[in-house]
């Protein structure tokens, strides 16, 4: 590794650590919208000090990204901006594009959310990096290219000399984000703004990229303004936190204070609604009821009042200002009742939001005696790998699913978990197709679907239903909700009268009102739409529901309610779930059993408690250790296993054990032992009553 | 059952205008589109309601005034044989309007059925239909229509419209196909499929209604294309035959004398331009009304937890904005501008 | 890759074969080359008419399948497209007319493409400003105006004064002699047809370019380019235009190639004897072999246009190459 200062060239005079580099005061932004003016940001104040990391946290629509874009002066022309943004002692608001351009990229570097769309698709990564350098520095093409190589090396792109001329689409998501970071630090900025920098990435890649971001900060000494919705990331990265709600900061403070003693009911609710990997038993989550207010015409008073369990009359008439919790303290909150929270005789924060009772599960039979609802045996699905969209030609075979076995018993939830590209979605689609060319067998309710005729498959579809990930995409926006719920019933021959009776029943079952049947999906919030999707799946009283990432598109405060609903429905109706997910924390809350997939195979499977407490496969261990915990203290103490590199292409699986190319254990093995991993594909070894792992050297390791 | 969510349910979801109403509102806000609608209505009224009240019919000859310019007796002047050009033009306008208004939607219908079937079923259905589509593209339509014209000289104009439509659907067919391919993977379509809904029902209940915006816009564009196609053929004597007239035959008859008796050429030509213009205004207004991103400055909705979801976000975006799809698939019938259906 | 290309070309050959054969049969049934002789005054003796036509493989008394077979073998074995009704070689006529069309179209297409892209991009940058609105209305009007109207309109404008400002009938004035004067005269004759084609093409391409440009203006990568410190104009030109031109270029290529048989009105009205004019003339003169040759040429051109536009697309967009 090259020395940092050599990489970044000219040492610039840096502000002393701790002095303010970016001061935002009373920032307000509004846009013209279809229904009226949208007041996206309504008075934001914060100060970013040299060398620190400040996180701006909020759910969608809270105005956090608009704030970041406003600081850079990149809002669309029709946005109205007022207030002040000062870099050092220079006012940035109102600067001309020419002056602002001299600051962007030099004093402020920016990392965007989706690195694929954020890089120009037709220029190589090197070209774009060289451009970033030459805008602000007087370098020859050759010098700039050398710098670019050094920067790519710094952010951990392997073999930069070969990769520098690659195009963005030839990079993986993680590598693209590394390239973005290289661009952001190319001119040694004082401030790096990172807008949801890891949201589009898998957890293991997220861990790598956060590492790179920390390193970039170390090298440049820059202050980081981090925009995110992920409280785990905040806990791991931030020194200080600003929580935003409805376009305004509602609580600020150091990360420790904020996570340990939150004083604003919204923050308390948010922290309570996050599913935690380190939580104990399966307990119900605490949702925040309701939805954020419309930013077009906000009601008077505290914008959170409608969802707040401790709101009083004053909250509905007067909007609270952000005030220090105790005089002079950095911890401030915008709540009329902040002083009463956790004060002696006041409002205790635990239990402030009502947590529903955990549904009582029928005691039931032991697993082995319950009937099998789904059995998948040696399921294999390969696709041709095609190249080129103009001259399409086959260049290989993608082994998307390569020999998968599992079963689901009545009344239980199996979570199929893995990173994108591991084959979990293909597995799901193969099961749902009930037909299709593939190897292996799928048996639903004891019937091998390969042997069914068209009629038999139709019959079986009553018992097998699906809920998709995106509540926006899974409901036809042109049909009223009543028709959407009636579709499965009509398809399976229900008459009008029975349908008319069933639809209101279904709506009530998922916590909606019968009169909602007349409305269109667009009139509902994300969480409500997902409830409609669940109601549709329940219409025919199925036995097994496949849930494809059902909560990953939802904000945490909404997500909790949907998870609780799924839990209750299962207890009440005796359903079995196949739960496809990438979020291990959610799985811990909903699943009985878990199967971890890697490159088309299940590498570890078993009882959730067992697998999470004593993961035995090195991949499971890495996956669990990569999940950030919403607890700064724990995050700081954790030893993290960071996987090297990206997921290999499923078209080119390594010989022997497929995980060995990234396996931390493999690297520590003696050559005599590791030879076995090179040549021999490990079979699933039984580790406990319900726990198996496919590793030659499986050994439990506590990682949480 | 007491769901913890019941409160979420009772919190009334924001009442918003239905999608159809929203499209109408946006359309009405587009002044050009309203001008287009008004123009079409005016043209239809002019073509059908006015002729009965005129002194001259299109087949009368006023031998007292041969080849005279516009005046009080003959508003648009007369031809060499003394026919009233105003009456002739309205007659031609009738023909062009009916050809366009029947042929445009017909073209789109063929494109929708073929494109959606190819895209939804894929496999061999797709291959056969696409091969047929390529063949239709390769067959020189103008040549074929022209060659066929003597054989059907005594047939009706309706037959001509059908032929024009038969050679005009291919480009849209490709667009519908590629849209269907993305719609097919949309979750609500998957959901219907996994419910056991019949494929044809899926196409008509979910696929085509969701491609409706494109189809409606296309139908308006095709109206213009068909009118121009008919005009071109008639201009060269392969379309509408005497004694009937269309704007094309009138323009053709006026071309040699455009310098000496300009009214013979430019009055029919002006009406042709008016048809094209009004249709284009309507089509563009619809495009803006259907596509919420058309106004440009709207802040983009960011797909947040994008891990496995970027797939959906991207397909959604492509489907919403098929104009963006590059490839030859969208290459529109530009050659129609230069007169011939390609 | 090579195999893929071969398969595609093979498929093309089949398509062209079917299209050409269908046209040949249709033309043979509906067109009557003998009319050209029968309507002559004085009329030549019947048997000599049919002897002549027999020599051109146009004799209606020969079974159509036999005529087709001769025609087909002539093309496949000797590359010979046969004779026109008056005995000229179709090959020679085809070659001559392709050259005429090429001269007519070269300047017009290059200027049309460049102009269309430039106008479209410029409009997108000034969306909803007066210049964009004026340009939008103007392009609507031009797009709605059939080429024949543009051509005749320009012609009328040209002669509105005392005499024509520029000459326009044919490729050049046959009365002019000497190399340089002929070239200059030729160029003068190019002015009006080129202007006609430009007025038809620029609005079309510019509308398309404007819309792709607007799509790109809101893109994330343009925001990144500006976040790096590029000014708005620099970012738009370097990153935006380069990307927005990708979907437009295949369209341009496709249309330029198709124009070879599509400039019918322009050629008719300005008296250029190119391919577009032949498309109409071959039918009106009942010239079966010429019609069939035009059909093959048109079919071939559609396919070449498709292939070329795909290649251009691949050349411009690295995402498609790999």
């Amino acid at each position: 590794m090259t020395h940092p200062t050599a990489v970044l060239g000219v040492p610039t005079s840096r502000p002393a650590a701790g002095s303010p580099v970016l001061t935002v005061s009373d920032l307000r932004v509004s846009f013209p919208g279809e229904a009226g003016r949208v007041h996206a940001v309504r008075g934001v104040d914060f100060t970013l000090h040299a060398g620190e990391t400040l996180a701006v946290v909020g759910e969608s629509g809270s105005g956090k990204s608009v704030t970041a874009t406003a600081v850079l002066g990149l809002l669309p022309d029709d946005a109205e901006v007022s207030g002040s943004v000062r870099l050092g002692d220079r006012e940035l608001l109102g600067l001309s594009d020419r002056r602002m351009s001299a600051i962007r990229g030099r004093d402020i570097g920016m990392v965007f959310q989706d690195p694929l769309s954020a890089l120009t698709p037709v220029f190589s990564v090197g070209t774009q990096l060289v451009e970033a350098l030459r805008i602000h520095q007087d370098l020859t093409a050759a010098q700039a290219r050398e710098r670019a190589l050094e920067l790519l090396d710094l952010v951990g792109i392997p073999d930069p000399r070969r990769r520098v001329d690659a195009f963005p689409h030839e990079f993986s998501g993680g590598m693209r984000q590394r390239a973005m970071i290289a661009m952001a630090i190319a001119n040694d900025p004082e401030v790096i703004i990172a807008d949801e920098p890891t949201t589009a990435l898998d957890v293991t890649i997220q861990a790598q990229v956060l590492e790179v971001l920390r390193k970039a900060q170390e090298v440049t000494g820059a202050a980081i303004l981090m925009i995110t919705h992920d409280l785990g990331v905040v806990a791991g990265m931030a020194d200080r936190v600003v929580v935003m709600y409805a376009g305004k900061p509602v609580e600020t403070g150091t990360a420790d204070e904020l996570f340990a003693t939150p004083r604003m009911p919204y923050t308390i609710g948010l922290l309570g609604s996050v599913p935690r990997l380190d939580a104990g038993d399966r307990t119900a989550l605490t949702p925040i009821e309701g939805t954020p207010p419309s930013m077009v015409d906000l009601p008077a008073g505290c914008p959170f009042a409608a969802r707040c369990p401790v709101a009083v009359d004053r909250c509905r008439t007067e909007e609270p200002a952000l005030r220090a919790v105790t005089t002079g303290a950095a911890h401030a909150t915008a709540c009329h009742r902040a002083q009463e929270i956790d004060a002696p005789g006041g409002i205790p924060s635990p239990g402030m939001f009502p947590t529903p009772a955990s549904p009582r599960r029928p005691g039931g039979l032991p697993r082995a005696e319950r009937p099998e609802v789904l059995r998948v045996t040696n399921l294999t699905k390969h696709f041709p790998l095609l190249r080129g969209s103009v001259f399409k030609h086959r260049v290989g075979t993608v082994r998307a699913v390569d020999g998968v076995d599992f079963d689901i018993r009545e009344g239980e939830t199996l979570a199929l978990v893995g990173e994108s590209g591991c084959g979990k979605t293909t597995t799901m689609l193969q099961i749902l197709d009930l037909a299709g060319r593939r190897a292996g067998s799928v048996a639903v309710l004891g019937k091998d679907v390969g042997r069914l005729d068209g009629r038999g498959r139709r019959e079986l579809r009553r018992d097998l239903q699906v809920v998709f990930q995106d509540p926006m995409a899974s409901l036809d926006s042109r049909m009223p909700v009543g028709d959407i719920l009636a579709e499965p019933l009509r398809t399976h021959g229900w008459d009008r009268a029975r349908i008319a009776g069933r639809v209101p029943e279904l709506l009530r079952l998922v916590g909606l009102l019968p009169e909602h049947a007349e409305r269109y999906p667009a009139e509902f919030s994300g969480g409500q739409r997902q409830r409609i999707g669940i109601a549709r799946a329940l219409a025919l009283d199925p036995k097994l529901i496949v849930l494809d990432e059902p909560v990953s598109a939802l904000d945490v405060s909404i997500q909790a309610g949907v998870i609780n609903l799924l839990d209750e429905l299962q207890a009440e109706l005796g359903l079995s779930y196949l739960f496809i997910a990438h979020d291990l924390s959610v799985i811990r809350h909903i699943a009985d059993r878990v199967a971890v997939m890697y490159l088309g195979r299940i590498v570890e499977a078993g009882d959730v408690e067992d697998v999470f407490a004593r993961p035995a496969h090195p991949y499971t261990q890495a996956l669990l250790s990569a999940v950030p915990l919403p607890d700064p203290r724990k995050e700081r103490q954790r030893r993290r296993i960071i996987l090297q590199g990206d997921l290999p292409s499923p078209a080119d699986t390594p010989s022997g054990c497929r995980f060995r190319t990234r396996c931390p254990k493999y690297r520590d093995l003696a050559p005599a032992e590791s030879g076995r991993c090179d040549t021999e594909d490990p079979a699933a070894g039984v580790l406990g009553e319900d726990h198996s792992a496919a590793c030659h050297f499986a050994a439990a390791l506590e990682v949480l | 059952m007491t769901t913890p969510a019941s409160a979420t349910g009772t919190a009334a979801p924001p009442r918003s205008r239905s999608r159809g109403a929203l499209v109408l509102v946006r359309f009405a806000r587009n002044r050009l589109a309203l001008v287009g609608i008004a123009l079409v209505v005016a043209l239809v009224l002019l073509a059908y309601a006015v002729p009965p009240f005129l002194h001259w019919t299109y087949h009368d000859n006023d031998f007292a005034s041969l080849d005279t310019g516009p005046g009080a007796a003959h508003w648009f002047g007369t031809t060499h044989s003394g026919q009233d050009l105003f009456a002739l033009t309205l007659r031609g306008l009738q023909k062009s309007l009916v050809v366009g208004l029947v042929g445009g939607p017909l073209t789109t219908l063929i494109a929708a059925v073929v494109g959606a079937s190819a895209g939804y079923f894929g496999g061999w259905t797709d291959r056969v239909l696409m091969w047929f589509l390529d063949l239709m593209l390769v067959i020189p339509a103008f040549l074929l229509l022209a060659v066929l014209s003597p054989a059907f000289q005594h047939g009706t104009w309706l037959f001509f419209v059908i032929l024009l439509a038969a050679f005009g659907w291919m480009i849209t067919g490709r667009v519908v196909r590629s849209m269907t391919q993305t719609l097919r993977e949309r979750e609500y379509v998957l959901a219907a499929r996994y419910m056991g809904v019949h494929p044809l029902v899926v196409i008509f209940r979910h696929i085509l209604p969701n491609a409706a915006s494109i189809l409606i816009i296309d139908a308006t564009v095709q109206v213009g294309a068909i009118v121009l196609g008919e005009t071109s053929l008639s201009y060269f004597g392969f379309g509408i035959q005497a004694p009937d007239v269309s704007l094309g035959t009138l323009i053709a008859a006026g071309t040699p004398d455009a310098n000496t008796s300009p009214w013979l050429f430019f009055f029919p030509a002006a009406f042709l331009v008016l048809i094209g213009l009004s249709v284009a205004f309507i089509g563009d207004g619809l495009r803006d009304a259907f596509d919420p991103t058309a106004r440009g400055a709207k802040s983009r909705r960011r797909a947040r937890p994008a891990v496995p979801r970027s797939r959906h976000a991207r397909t959604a975006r492509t489907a919403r904005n098929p104009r963006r799809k590059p490839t030859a698939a969208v290459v529109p019938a530009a050659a129609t501008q230069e007169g011939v259906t390609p | 890759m090579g195999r893929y290309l071969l398969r595609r070309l093979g498929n093309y050959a089949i398509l062209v074969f079917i299209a050409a054969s269908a046209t040949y049969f249709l033309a043979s049934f509906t067109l009557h080359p003998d009319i050209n002789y029968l309507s002559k005054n004085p009329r030549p003796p019947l048997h000599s008419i049919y002897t002549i036509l027999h020599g051109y493989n146009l004799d209606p008394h020969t079974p159509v399948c036999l005529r087709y077979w001769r025609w087909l073998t002539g093309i496949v074995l000797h590359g010979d497209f046969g004779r026109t009704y008056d005995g000229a070689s179709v090959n020679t006529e085809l070659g001559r007319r392709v050259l005429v069309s090429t001269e007519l179209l070269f300047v017009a297409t290059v200027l049309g493409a460049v102009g269309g892209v430039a106008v479209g991009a410029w409009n997108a940058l000034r969306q909803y400003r007066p210049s964009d609105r004026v340009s939008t209305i103007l392009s609507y009007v031009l797009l709605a105006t059939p080429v024949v109207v543009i051509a005749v309109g320009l012609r009328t404008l040209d002669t509105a004064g005392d005499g024509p400002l520029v000459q326009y009938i044919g490729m050049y004035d046959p009365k002019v002699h000497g190399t340089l004067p002929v070239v200059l005269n030729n160029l003068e004759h190019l002015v009006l047809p080129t202007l006609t084609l430009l007025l038809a093409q620029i609005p079309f391409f510019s509308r398309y370019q404007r819309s792709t440009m607007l799509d790109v203006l809101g893109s994330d990568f343009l925001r990144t380019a500006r976040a790096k410190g590029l000014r708005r104009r620099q970012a738009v030109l370097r990153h935006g235009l380069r990307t927005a031109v990708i979907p437009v270029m295949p369209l341009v290529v496709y249309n330029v190639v198709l124009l070879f048989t599509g400039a019918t009105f322009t050629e008719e009205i300005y008296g250029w004897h190119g391919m577009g004019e032949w498309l109409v003339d071959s039918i009106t003169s009942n010239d079966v072999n010429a019609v069939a040759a035009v059909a093959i040429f048109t079919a071939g051109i559609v396919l070449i246009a498709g292939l070329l536009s795909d290649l251009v697309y691949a050349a411009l967009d690295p995402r498609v190459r790999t």
Side-chain angles (χ1 to χ4, degrees), chain B residues 147-158:
Chain B
V147 166
L148 282 174
S149 72
F152 298 102
Q153 225 157 62
H154 307 294
T156 59
W157 54 269
L158 194 65

PDB file of all heavy atoms in Angstrom, chain B residues 147-158:
ATOM      1  N   VAL B 147     -48.686  -2.471 -56.575  1.00  0.00           N
ATOM      2  CA  VAL B 147     -48.875  -3.547 -57.533  1.00  0.00           C
ATOM      3  C   VAL B 147     -50.285  -4.118 -57.402  1.00  0.00           C
ATOM      4  O   VAL B 147     -50.937  -4.459 -58.385  1.00  0.00           O
ATOM      5  CB  VAL B 147     -47.807  -4.643 -57.306  1.00  0.00           C
ATOM      6  CG1 VAL B 147     -48.183  -5.908 -58.035  1.00  0.00           C
ATOM      7  CG2 VAL B 147     -46.450  -4.148 -57.769  1.00  0.00           C
ATOM      8  N   LEU B 148     -50.756  -4.196 -56.173  1.00  0.00           N
ATOM      9  CA  LEU B 148     -52.077  -4.773 -55.948  1.00  0.00           C
ATOM     10  C   LEU B 148     -53.202  -3.835 -56.363  1.00  0.00           C
ATOM     11  O   LEU B 148     -54.317  -4.278 -56.605  1.00  0.00           O
ATOM     12  CB  LEU B 148     -52.244  -5.123 -54.464  1.00  0.00           C
ATOM     13  CG  LEU B 148     -51.563  -6.392 -53.985  1.00  0.00           C
ATOM     14  CD1 LEU B 148     -51.700  -6.521 -52.487  1.00  0.00           C
ATOM     15  CD2 LEU B 148     -52.167  -7.601 -54.681  1.00  0.00           C
ATOM     16  N   SER B 149     -52.909  -2.539 -56.420  1.00  0.00           N
ATOM     17  CA  SER B 149     -53.998  -1.580 -56.592  1.00  0.00           C
ATOM     18  C   SER B 149     -54.856  -1.813 -57.835  1.00  0.00           C
ATOM     19  O   SER B 149     -56.078  -1.726 -57.760  1.00  0.00           O
ATOM     20  CB  SER B 149     -53.464  -0.148 -56.544  1.00  0.00           C
ATOM     21  OG  SER B 149     -52.753   0.128 -57.717  1.00  0.00           O
ATOM     22  N   PRO B 150     -54.254  -2.144 -58.999  1.00  0.00           N
ATOM     23  CA  PRO B 150     -55.141  -2.362 -60.146  1.00  0.00           C
ATOM     24  C   PRO B 150     -56.093  -3.538 -59.910  1.00  0.00           C
ATOM     25  O   PRO B 150     -57.250  -3.501 -60.336  1.00  0.00           O
ATOM     26  CB  PRO B 150     -54.181  -2.671 -61.296  1.00  0.00           C
ATOM     27  CG  PRO B 150     -52.801  -2.540 -60.782  1.00  0.00           C
ATOM     28  CD  PRO B 150     -52.839  -2.296 -59.324  1.00  0.00           C
ATOM     29  N   ALA B 151     -55.615  -4.543 -59.191  1.00  0.00           N
ATOM     30  CA  ALA B 151     -56.430  -5.727 -58.958  1.00  0.00           C
ATOM     31  C   ALA B 151     -57.657  -5.402 -58.109  1.00  0.00           C
ATOM     32  O   ALA B 151     -58.669  -6.095 -58.177  1.00  0.00           O
ATOM     33  CB  ALA B 151     -55.604  -6.821 -58.291  1.00  0.00           C
ATOM     34  N   PHE B 152     -57.546  -4.364 -57.302  1.00  0.00           N
ATOM     35  CA  PHE B 152     -58.657  -4.067 -56.401  1.00  0.00           C
ATOM     36  C   PHE B 152     -59.256  -2.698 -56.687  1.00  0.00           C
ATOM     37  O   PHE B 152     -59.790  -2.046 -55.817  1.00  0.00           O
ATOM     38  CB  PHE B 152     -58.195  -4.144 -54.947  1.00  0.00           C
ATOM     39  CG  PHE B 152     -57.726  -5.518 -54.590  1.00  0.00           C
ATOM     40  CD1 PHE B 152     -56.379  -5.809 -54.527  1.00  0.00           C
ATOM     41  CD2 PHE B 152     -58.644  -6.532 -54.355  1.00  0.00           C
ATOM     42  CE1 PHE B 152     -55.945  -7.077 -54.221  1.00  0.00           C
ATOM     43  CE2 PHE B 152     -58.202  -7.801 -54.059  1.00  0.00           C
ATOM     44  CZ  PHE B 152     -56.856  -8.085 -53.986  1.00  0.00           C
ATOM     45  N   GLN B 153     -59.126  -2.283 -57.924  1.00  0.00           N
ATOM     46  CA  GLN B 153     -59.583  -0.947 -58.262  1.00  0.00           C
ATOM     47  C   GLN B 153     -61.067  -0.749 -57.943  1.00  0.00           C
ATOM     48  O   GLN B 153     -61.486   0.327 -57.582  1.00  0.00           O
ATOM     49  CB  GLN B 153     -59.352  -0.687 -59.739  1.00  0.00           C
ATOM     50  CG  GLN B 153     -58.750   0.656 -59.965  1.00  0.00           C
ATOM     51  CD  GLN B 153     -58.011   0.685 -61.297  1.00  0.00           C
ATOM     52  OE1 GLN B 153     -58.597   0.495 -62.349  1.00  0.00           O
ATOM     53  NE2 GLN B 153     -56.704   0.913 -61.240  1.00  0.00           N
ATOM     54  N   HIS B 154     -61.818  -1.825 -58.073  1.00  0.00           N
ATOM     55  CA  HIS B 154     -63.247  -1.663 -57.863  1.00  0.00           C
ATOM     56  C   HIS B 154     -63.660  -2.061 -56.452  1.00  0.00           C
ATOM     57  O   HIS B 154     -64.827  -1.997 -56.110  1.00  0.00           O
ATOM     58  CB  HIS B 154     -64.016  -2.456 -58.912  1.00  0.00           C
ATOM     59  CG  HIS B 154     -63.552  -2.101 -60.293  1.00  0.00           C
ATOM     60  ND1 HIS B 154     -63.749  -0.847 -60.830  1.00  0.00           N
ATOM     61  CD2 HIS B 154     -62.822  -2.802 -61.208  1.00  0.00           C
ATOM     62  CE1 HIS B 154     -63.191  -0.807 -62.037  1.00  0.00           C
ATOM     63  NE2 HIS B 154     -62.609  -1.972 -62.288  1.00  0.00           N
ATOM     64  N   GLY B 155     -62.688  -2.481 -55.676  1.00  0.00           N
ATOM     65  CA  GLY B 155     -62.981  -2.795 -54.274  1.00  0.00           C
ATOM     66  C   GLY B 155     -63.237  -1.506 -53.506  1.00  0.00           C
ATOM     67  O   GLY B 155     -63.143  -0.407 -54.036  1.00  0.00           O
ATOM     68  N   THR B 156     -63.550  -1.656 -52.239  1.00  0.00           N
ATOM     69  CA  THR B 156     -63.850  -0.469 -51.458  1.00  0.00           C
ATOM     70  C   THR B 156     -62.575   0.099 -50.878  1.00  0.00           C
ATOM     71  O   THR B 156     -61.539  -0.569 -50.825  1.00  0.00           O
ATOM     72  CB  THR B 156     -64.777  -0.817 -50.301  1.00  0.00           C
ATOM     73  OG1 THR B 156     -64.112  -1.785 -49.501  1.00  0.00           O
ATOM     74  CG2 THR B 156     -66.085  -1.384 -50.803  1.00  0.00           C
ATOM     75  N   TRP B 157     -62.672   1.351 -50.408  1.00  0.00           N
ATOM     76  CA  TRP B 157     -61.518   1.968 -49.758  1.00  0.00           C
ATOM     77  C   TRP B 157     -61.186   1.240 -48.467  1.00  0.00           C
ATOM     78  O   TRP B 157     -60.081   1.243 -47.984  1.00  0.00           O
ATOM     79  CB  TRP B 157     -61.801   3.440 -49.470  1.00  0.00           C
ATOM     80  CG  TRP B 157     -63.067   3.639 -48.695  1.00  0.00           C
ATOM     81  CD1 TRP B 157     -64.307   3.846 -49.211  1.00  0.00           C
ATOM     82  CD2 TRP B 157     -63.209   3.592 -47.287  1.00  0.00           C
ATOM     83  NE1 TRP B 157     -65.218   3.931 -48.208  1.00  0.00           N
ATOM     84  CE2 TRP B 157     -64.578   3.778 -47.011  1.00  0.00           C
ATOM     85  CE3 TRP B 157     -62.329   3.424 -46.221  1.00  0.00           C
ATOM     86  CZ2 TRP B 157     -65.080   3.783 -45.707  1.00  0.00           C
ATOM     87  CZ3 TRP B 157     -62.825   3.431 -44.930  1.00  0.00           C
ATOM     88  CH2 TRP B 157     -64.178   3.603 -44.683  1.00  0.00           C
ATOM     89  N   LEU B 158     -62.200   0.557 -47.906  1.00  0.00           N
ATOM     90  CA  LEU B 158     -61.992  -0.133 -46.639  1.00  0.00           C
ATOM     91  C   LEU B 158     -60.896  -1.193 -46.773  1.00  0.00           C
ATOM     92  O   LEU B 158     -60.063  -1.369 -45.899  1.00  0.00           O
ATOM     93  CB  LEU B 158     -63.300  -0.782 -46.192  1.00  0.00           C
ATOM     94  CG  LEU B 158     -63.297  -1.226 -44.741  1.00  0.00           C
ATOM     95  CD1 LEU B 158     -63.194  -0.036 -43.813  1.00  0.00           C
ATOM     96  CD2 LEU B 158     -64.555  -2.020 -44.429  1.00  0.00           C
TER      97      LEU B 158
END
